[in-house]
Amino acid sequence: MIVITGATGQLGSRIVDRLLERVPAAGIGVSVRDPARAAGLAAQGVRVRRGDFADPASLEGAFDGAAQVLVVSTDETGDAAVAHHVAAIEAARHAGAKRVLYTSHQGAAADSLFAPMADHAATEQRLAEVPFTALRNGFYASTVPLLLGDALRTGELVAPADGPVSWTAHADLAEAAAIILADEGRFDGPTPPLTAPVALDLQDVAVLLGDLAGRPIRRVVADDEDWVATLVGHGVPADRAELLLGMFRAARRGEFATAGPDLEALLGRPATPLRAVLAAALPE
């Protein structure tokens, strides 16, 4: 059996959908905090059990009988994120899983300027204690619409200095994960970077946005501290604003610039371009 955590989330739900195209429902289990939210999967024949990263005992029950467990990384950061990932890894080991897979990041590194990348690196260190596959996913393209601010209204995309990022669609990464799960043992250890084939910075995004909007959008580089102060002024907690600034600092250091053919080769088709992700996110 293949068990997937976070199966009602943005990535996990897509992975399950794509896996159902390749594996009988009876061979799939999901570990979710609220089984009621996975009633649709249960109706399709997927095994649904409660599993909470904060409750390791529940995870062992959710993972029982699993040959493979896919741990979908949490949206937490710091020690809490790593502790929860490790709890899932340990529970999978105790449940007898032959392989643990984890949704990591192509920028995973202990010295990253963006805190979640260090969390991924720390999790990968603990993964190395068991047979594992770390999915080195590209940066989620769904982040880009969140960076636009008032660009459509003002004609200016205002953000700190950045760098190229291999923005990659959730749908592509979900399909890749399903392919890897269905073809057990395809990758041992970290995968190659699973990214879009090109890396784009926010100047490129401004051009794409302008094309879609039918009017020019100008890229304006904001001072780091001014940008943080603006976020805080709009109610964003100061520590959260500083964490977000780390994403820009890491991007301009080149941490997310890796782009290559491996995702497209795995999918057997072109990756979803950022333009398509933006077009789907913009108001009609």
Side-chain angles (χ1 to χ4, degrees):
M1 175 170 283
I2 299 168
V3 174
I4 299 166
T5 74
T8 56
Q10 189 172 10
L11 181 62
S13 62
R14 287 177 168 88
I15 293 172
V16 176
D17 287 345
R18 298 288 76 79
L19 192 59
L20 281 166
E21 299 170 354
R22 296 167 170 84
V23 176
I28 302 172
V30 297
S31 169
V32 293
R33 281 182 292 183
D34 181 3
R37 293 184 59 198
L41 293 176
Q44 295 179 69
V46 173
R47 190 184 80 179
V48 176
R49 291 186 177 176
R50 178 183 173 273
D52 187 337
F53 286 176
D55 180 7
S58 72
L59 293 175
E60 288 196 33
F63 297 167
D64 182 53
Q68 298 183 82
V69 173
L70 172 61
V71 179
V72 177
S73 56
T74 75
D75 56 5
E76 299 170 299
T77 57
D79 293 343
V82 178
H84 285 169
H85 296 156
V86 170
I89 294 165
E90 287 297 301
R93 183 172 65 84
H94 290 154
K98 297 177 183 176
R99 177 163 296 272
V100 180
L101 299 93
Y102 170 71
T103 58
S104 190
H105 198 285
Q106 62 100 339
D111 64 347
S112 174
L113 297 178
F114 187 38
M117 301 302 102
D119 299 339
H120 286 306
T123 299
E124 286 192 12
Q125 280 191 319
R126 295 300 300 271
L127 272 173
E129 299 171 7
V130 299
F132 80 98
T133 300
L135 307 177
R136 288 284 184 88
N137 289 343
F139 215 116
Y140 296 144
S142 60
T143 304
V144 176
L146 306 178
L147 303 178
L148 301 181
D150 291 329
L152 288 175
R153 181 178 63 83
T154 65
E156 294 184 339
L157 198 171
V158 182
D162 68 313
V165 178
S166 51
W167 301 111
T168 310
H170 271 88
D172 293 348
L173 294 170
E175 185 175 347
I179 291 169
I180 292 168
L181 285 164
D183 186 6
E184 187 174 351
R186 185 165 187 149
F187 292 104
D188 186 31
T191 67
L194 301 176
T195 71
V198 296
L200 305 175
D201 62 18
L202 289 183
Q203 175 59 47
D204 299 316
V205 170
V207 172
L208 289 176
L209 187 61
D211 287 346
L212 292 168
R215 62 184 185 278
I217 303 293
R218 186 166 69 96
R219 168 72 167 109
V220 177
V221 176
D223 175 80
D224 285 0
E225 300 311 318
D226 289 346
W227 185 80
V228 168
T230 298
L231 288 187
V232 172
H234 284 88
V236 177
D239 58 347
R240 179 68 178 174
E242 286 290 344
L243 183 145
L244 294 172
L245 178 62
M247 178 180 66
F248 292 95
R249 288 174 168 161
R252 62 194 186 223
R253 193 168 78 167
E255 293 187 24
F256 311 129
T258 298
D262 296 285
L263 177 61
E264 291 189 329
L266 188 62
L267 298 177
R269 62 169 175 80
T272 305
L274 179 59
R275 181 188 182 93
V277 176
L278 276 176
L282 296 181
E284 296 183 0

